Amino acid sequence: MSRRLLLLLAVTCGVAVGNIYFPQAVGPLIAAGLHVSPDEASLVVTATQIGYTLGLFLLVPLGDRLPHRRFLVTLLTLTGLGLLAAGCAPTLPFLVAASLAVGVSTVAAQVIAPLAAGLVADDGRGAVMGTLLSGSIGGMLLARTFSGTLGEWLGWRAPYLAASAVVLLLAWVLARTLPVTAPSARGPYKAMLTASLALLRTEPELRRSCFYQATVFAGFSAVWTCVALLLTGPRYGLGASAVGLLALVGAVTMLCTPLAGRLVDREGPDRVNLVSLIGVLLSAAILAAGAAGGVAGLAALTLGTVLLDVAMQSGMVANQSRVFALRPDARSRLNTAYMTCAHLGGTAGSWLGVRIHDRAGWGGVCVLVALLAALALARHLVMPRPSRLGERPRAR
């Protein structure tokens, strides 16, 4: 794969992932523009996230059944049209419906990852996964800043219309640059949907990777859901913008994931997983010091969240590399199972984190993160596993 194509795919991943997150920054503007309450406007974000979960399950498995270029161009075109409809929405129900459609179709990043895995040799797969993940992280981090700034200048519709133009342009470029690939599997659509569940049952390495990422992503989501409560609460008394600034510090992760990918190629995913899980445990201890408040507490929160971000994303590279090595003919279905488990873990972590914060404060959230990481680390240390990428587990 050429560097130019890899860069284009990374940008596409960033734009696709950014479509999930940029509506979060324009919620108040939507409420004012459509004359609804902020709670009602938040339905836009909820609809986008629900749609994304549906897209993961319903559409991503088709990456094994359809030619990648046609499938990706179709997804991006539908996303672009959905964003255009959202930007022209006359009422909130219309905007919510359009947002649901955008969420369902903006799963291009999860189609690109299996495509890219099939275009490179096994010993270069980790580096490619790291680069694509950097693009996704960039989209996630920059989307809120982009939409908030543009929305303040030109109104809430402007981010939707600008995103629509970018997505449709990417669809046009990919239609002319992506290589033609043959489908790796055939069969009825229903069988493709159930295949992900079957793979979870038959592939122990897939279950292991899903468990690692679900536990770590649960802790990650708990931290980022509750850190806003800590920063805006009486301990710090800061505004909501402080959370955005703290998130931007995580941009360092964009530089670390390609390095993690090269380490996976050289050392194998297990060693990277080990370091990542230890990193999550250390981040929990550092984050706990953030409860003290003041400059020292804010420094602890900054260092802890950066370490947590780097550890979580590095583990993501290792786990995806392991998963994609299992069945070259079923990479999209494997990715569906993996990402759905990770997403469910993140959702559960957010829900549990808020409830623990209400009862035990920030310290309780940090204990939750440590316990989740310890569970994954215990599984990693005591259970049999292959020593190198792509090997099958040894018999007990």
Side-chain angles (χ1 to χ4, degrees):
M1 182 191 303
S2 68
R3 291 186 178 181
R4 182 177 298 179
L5 177 58
L6 180 58
L7 177 61
L8 176 60
L9 292 177
V11 170
T12 304
C13 286
V15 171
V17 170
N19 290 331
I20 307 168
Y21 292 96
F22 85 74
Q24 295 175 353
V26 293
L29 300 176
I30 291 173
L34 294 180
H35 308 291
V36 297
S37 69
D39 286 346
E40 290 175 309
S42 69
L43 291 174
V44 173
V45 175
T46 302
T48 306
Q49 293 174 338
I50 291 173
Y52 185 70
T53 304
L54 290 173
L56 281 176
F57 183 74
L58 297 175
L59 297 182
V60 173
L62 291 174
D64 290 330
R65 190 172 183 263
L66 301 175
H68 285 110
R69 183 170 68 183
R70 186 175 68 188
F71 188 33
L72 274 172
V73 170
T74 300
L75 285 175
L76 290 170
T77 300
L78 291 174
T79 301
L81 294 176
L83 289 166
L84 179 61
C88 298
T91 63
L92 181 64
F94 191 100
L95 177 57
V96 169
S99 298
L100 181 68
V102 169
V104 170
S105 61
T106 192
V107 292
Q110 307 312 325
V111 176
I112 287 173
L115 163 65
L119 295 177
V120 296
D122 290 348
D123 59 358
R125 187 174 295 128
V128 169
M129 293 300 103
T131 300
L132 295 179
L133 188 55
S134 290
S136 296
I137 295 168
M140 181 173 61
L141 292 174
L142 298 177
R144 299 181 184 94
T145 303
F146 155 78
S147 62
T149 303
L150 193 61
E152 288 288 349
W153 287 349
L154 301 175
W156 70 267
R157 298 181 189 275
Y160 282 96
L161 298 177
S164 174
V166 172
V167 170
L168 292 174
L169 176 61
L170 281 172
W172 181 81
V173 173
L174 288 176
R176 285 156 177 76
T177 57
L178 272 183
V180 176
T181 57
S184 59
R186 298 187 182 279
Y189 176 62
K190 183 178 179 180
M192 302 294 289
L193 293 181
T194 58
S196 296
L197 298 176
L199 287 167
L200 274 172
R201 186 179 66 253
T202 59
E203 294 288 348
E205 289 296 272
L206 173 61
R207 293 197 300 272
R208 180 160 75 99
S209 298
C210 289
F211 180 69
Y212 291 168
Q213 199 61 31
T215 52
V216 172
F217 195 45
F220 174 88
S221 298
V223 166
W224 280 107
T225 301
C226 297
V227 74
L229 302 176
L230 177 65
L231 291 176
T232 58
R235 183 70 64 179
Y236 286 93
L238 299 175
S241 59
V243 182
L245 291 175
L246 186 62
L248 284 178
V249 176
V252 68
T253 313
M254 296 175 61
L255 305 177
C256 295
T257 47
L259 174 61
R262 290 192 290 271
L263 288 174
V264 169
D265 292 334
R266 187 169 67 246
E267 303 292 340
D270 281 338
R271 292 185 180 180
V272 175
N273 268 137
L274 177 61
V275 175
S276 298
L277 293 173
I278 293 173
V280 175
L281 274 174
L282 290 175
S283 73
I286 296 170
L287 286 167
V295 175
L298 193 57
L301 289 177
T302 302
L303 178 59
T305 52
V306 168
L307 179 57
L308 178 63
D309 286 8
V310 171
M312 192 277 289
Q313 301 291 1
S314 297
M316 172 76 84
V317 175
N319 289 322
Q320 275 196 315
S321 296
R322 181 190 297 110
V323 167
F324 287 150
L326 294 174
R327 290 271 304 273
D329 63 320
R331 287 191 173 116
S332 289
R333 285 163 287 174
L334 288 165
N335 199 42
T336 295
Y338 173 73
M339 291 303 301
T340 300
C341 288
H343 191 70
L344 290 174
T347 302
S350 296
W351 182 86
L352 189 59
V354 170
R355 279 144 189 83
I356 290 177
H357 186 273
D358 287 343
R359 291 166 174 78
W362 179 250
V365 175
C366 295
V367 170
L368 172 66
V369 175
L371 287 175
L372 290 169
L375 284 173
L377 185 60
R379 165 66 179 85
H380 188 75
L381 292 175
V382 304
M383 299 296 286
R385 58 190 182 276
S387 58
R388 295 297 298 171
L389 183 64
E391 293 181 11
R392 295 283 177 171
R394 295 186 295 271
R396 296 188 183 185

